[in-house]
Amino acid sequence: MKIGILGTGEVGQVLGAGFANLGHEVKMGSRDPNQEKVKAWVNKTGAKASSGAFAEAAAYGELVVLCTLWAGTENVIRLADPRNLAGKVVIDTINPLDFSAGVPPKLAIGHTDSAGEQVQRWLPDSRVVKAFNTVGNPHMIKPEFPGGPPDMFICGNDDQAKETVTGLLKAFGWSVIDMGGIEEARYLEPLAMLWIHHYFRTNSGNHAFKLLRK
Amino acid sequence: MKIGILGTGEVGQVLGAGFANLGHEVKMGSRDPNQEKVKAWVNKTGAKASSGAFAEAAAYGELVVLCTLWAGTENVIRLADPRNLAGKVVIDTINPLDFSAGVPPKLAIGHTDSAGEQVQRWLPDSRVVKAFNTVGNPHMIKPEFPGGPPDMFICGNDDQAKETVTGLLKAFGWSVIDMGGIEEARYLEPLAMLWIHHYFRTNSGNHAFKLLRK
């Protein structure tokens, strides 16, 4: 599968490399595809990796992964052009973090809305699936924990899109729990806050959620 | 320890019986201590159990557990009289559920506030600890799950109060994670929504959260 990554931060780099390692072809989109960190990522990731402008990566991907900071997301979607994402599965990894009062961050949006719902509104013709937002990037690929595998909670309005994303998550070693429509992002984004606040309390990011079941 | 329970629903009954089984003396407070379900609970729970008005149970308890429906909580606190709860540890088990659009419920409050914070404002002289809100009542006492014990996330502003509550939780078989001040209820209440929505999606309440760590 051809996968477009929108964003050049750690999440984009980790997921892009993870997808390339699964055998997918990955194009990392950014404002400046010639910036050093993008070139370094392409070189390190190998023959499956390439780079381009946001719109190029969006057009390239059969599936596209949003890995932007919340504050820049609306603009990145405009640069990527929603028409390039129409009909496609778009994985939304974003947490709407507000660092205005320092760390740990608070949620910039919530309760009656969420980043996931906002992304779906910005991309009305795309099939948005919230995923990867409830764990730190060092554990997004092949998470290894005593008592694992951990559970990745996902949500989205399109069942087929969620099946596609579930397949990718399972290939990465996750157990997957589908929570329902994209409005469930109202609860997945606060779950990320528990992850993040625990990180700040313990100075460790070596944790991941599991829903014990019987 | 003498423990007051405010509320006669399933959560109050389960926790009250759980505390009595640990050897504590438990008084269940309600509008009408002579109602059938309260008498039945006292009879079933045994010599450690008694009942009284809200204010009597509040005055009786060295530690008091709020087990009311969100909509009635402010009034119950008024009936219990905050002066009866001053200086005491108050466990807030409540989820601020809004059933106005049917099931599954939504959160009535959130993002920049929470039931936990509101309870603490209603009881400014009490030491409120949020606990027991992220699991269904059948698993509050001695939760048994493959891969367990599950984790109970708690929060509150008073460390000593959280130590007391942690001791009770451990006696019930929980692992405990302290998330910080009472404002963390903004994230623990959405976590309960994941529990509740998963219940509605699967028609099963046999699940509980764990934070895998290494």
Side-chain angles (χ1 to χ4, degrees):
Chain A
M1 187 157 50
K2 288 186 161 71
I3 295 180
I5 302 282
L6 303 182
T8 61
E10 290 185 350
V11 171
Q13 292 193 28
V14 164
L15 291 181
F19 290 125
N21 286 337
L22 288 179
H24 301 292
E25 297 176 84
V26 181
K27 189 181 286 293
M28 177 177 279
S30 64
R31 269 181 194 73
D32 174 13
N34 294 314
Q35 62 187 293
E36 281 310 316
K37 75 172 170 181
V38 173
K39 286 200 275 190
W41 177 83
V42 169
N43 285 337
K44 195 175 62 180
T45 307
K48 298 283 187 184
S50 62
S51 67
F54 282 125
E56 290 172 321
Y60 175 88
E62 300 164 71
L63 178 150
V64 174
V65 190
L66 256 179
C67 306
T68 47
L69 294 179
W70 171 241
T73 300
E74 183 174 12
N75 194 40
V76 168
I77 286 176
R78 193 161 40 224
L79 293 171
D81 193 338
R83 289 172 298 185
N84 286 326
L85 299 167
K88 296 180 180 176
V89 177
V90 174
I91 298 179
D92 165 26
T93 70
I94 297 169
N95 284 307
L97 301 183
D98 171 7
F99 286 97
S100 62
V103 295
K106 297 178 190 298
L107 282 173
I109 183 176
H111 177 212
T112 58
D113 200 2
S114 60
E117 290 163 279
Q118 181 60 67
V119 166
Q120 181 67 80
R121 288 194 297 270
W122 284 328
L123 295 170
D125 298 323
S126 299
R127 298 181 287 154
V128 175
V129 178
K130 189 98 203 173
F132 291 109
N133 77 302
T134 58
V135 73
N137 67 73
H139 298 296
M140 287 179 174
I141 312 295
K142 303 284 179 193
E144 290 188 4
F145 289 90
D151 289 312
M152 184 68 81
F153 296 89
I154 69 170
C155 66
N157 295 336
D158 187 292
D159 286 341
Q160 200 182 20
K162 286 190 284 193
E163 266 181 49
T164 299
V165 175
T166 297
L168 291 168
L169 283 162
K170 287 185 172 171
F172 283 156
W174 287 91
S175 171
V176 181
I177 297 180
D178 176 6
M179 286 303 306
I182 193 65
E183 70 280 2
E184 295 295 308
R186 295 176 194 185
Y187 313 118
L188 298 192
E189 292 162 15
L191 185 62
M193 299 305 287
L194 284 180
W195 194 98
I196 292 167
H197 285 206
H198 191 70
Y199 168 87
F200 279 101
R201 284 183 69 80
T202 61
N203 288 315
S204 163
N206 286 325
H207 49 277
F209 295 102
K210 188 173 184 68
L211 188 65
L212 304 180
R213 284 165 280 181
K214 65 179 182 182
Chain B
M1 188 156 51
K2 288 186 161 71
I3 295 180
I5 302 282
L6 302 182
T8 62
E10 289 185 350
V11 171
Q13 293 193 28
V14 164
L15 291 181
F19 290 124
N21 285 337
L22 288 180
H24 301 293
E25 297 176 84
V26 181
K27 189 181 287 291
M28 177 177 281
S30 63
R31 270 181 193 75
D32 174 13
N34 294 312
Q35 61 186 295
E36 281 309 316
K37 76 171 169 182
V38 173
K39 286 200 278 190
W41 176 83
V42 170
N43 285 336
K44 195 175 62 180
T45 306
K48 298 282 187 185
S50 62
S51 66
F54 282 125
E56 290 172 321
Y60 175 89
E62 299 163 73
L63 177 151
V64 174
V65 190
L66 256 179
C67 306
T68 47
L69 294 179
W70 170 242
T73 300
E74 183 174 12
N75 195 41
V76 167
I77 286 175
R78 192 159 42 220
L79 293 170
D81 194 339
R83 289 171 298 186
N84 287 325
L85 299 168
K88 296 180 180 176
V89 177
V90 174
I91 299 180
D92 166 25
T93 71
I94 297 169
N95 283 307
L97 302 183
D98 171 6
F99 287 97
S100 63
V103 296
K106 298 178 190 297
L107 281 173
I109 183 175
H111 175 213
T112 58
D113 200 2
S114 60
E117 289 162 279
Q118 180 60 69
V119 166
Q120 182 65 79
R121 287 195 297 271
W122 284 328
L123 295 170
D125 298 324
S126 300
R127 298 180 288 154
V128 175
V129 178
K130 190 98 203 175
F132 291 109
N133 77 302
T134 57
V135 73
N137 67 74
H139 299 295
M140 287 180 175
I141 314 294
K142 303 284 180 196
E144 290 187 4
F145 289 90
D151 289 311
M152 184 68 80
F153 297 89
I154 69 171
C155 67
N157 295 336
D158 187 291
D159 286 340
Q160 199 181 21
K162 287 190 284 193
E163 266 181 48
T164 299
V165 174
T166 296
L168 291 168
L169 283 163
K170 287 185 172 170
F172 283 157
W174 287 91
S175 171
V176 181
I177 297 181
D178 177 4
M179 287 304 305
I182 193 65
E183 71 279 1
E184 295 294 307
R186 295 176 194 184
Y187 314 118
L188 298 192
E189 293 163 14
L191 185 62
M193 300 306 285
L194 284 181
W195 194 98
I196 292 167
H197 284 205
H198 191 71
Y199 169 87
F200 279 101
R201 283 183 70 81
T202 61
N203 288 314
S204 165
N206 286 324
H207 48 277
F209 295 101
K210 188 172 185 68
L211 188 65
L212 303 180
R213 282 165 282 181
K214 65 178 181 182

